Amino acid sequence: MRVRRMVTNALGSAALVLASMGAVTTTASPAAADPCGFFETSADAYYNHCTSDGSRVVIKVEVAMAPDYERCVPPGTTWLGSASKIQGARYVGRTC
């Protein structure tokens, strides 16, 4: 009887340890959102206009080996082109 109780207690303790380990390892973190403003991935360049008012803004896009240009962008992330060609982008201070 005493051996059975010790085995039961040991199994219960092991189950508790395994359950707590499982709870820790299955926690997932949410994906990171795109940063505001200009950003690049390994291949592409983007501008993320972070706003809650629905405004559209003018940005200046800086291009390698070509003239820079202005572009009107809506809220959210806009693809600008290849990261090898786009050097940067910035808000110019006006809406469109």
Side-chain angles (χ1 to χ4, degrees):
M1 197 57 106
R2 185 170 184 200
V3 172
R4 179 185 275 175
R5 192 173 298 145
M6 287 174 50
V7 169
T8 303
N9 288 342
L11 289 174
S13 295
L16 183 59
V17 168
L18 291 173
S20 67
M21 287 173 49
V24 171
T25 59
T26 59
T27 303
S29 62
D34 292 339
C36 296
F38 177 75
F39 69 97
E40 295 177 324
T41 65
S42 60
D44 297 301
Y46 298 90
Y47 187 87
N48 186 13
H49 173 42
C50 298
T51 184
S52 59
D53 67 5
S55 64
R56 298 170 64 93
V57 295
V58 178
I59 61 170
K60 181 176 182 178
V61 180
E62 300 165 359
V63 185
M65 311 277 285
D68 297 344
Y69 63 90
E70 290 187 350
R71 180 171 179 179
C72 180
V73 295
T77 302
T78 300
W79 181 75
L80 300 177
S82 169
S84 64
K85 294 182 180 179
I86 306 298
Q87 295 179 320
R90 62 179 176 79
Y91 172 58
V92 298
R94 66 181 192 272
T95 57
C96 50

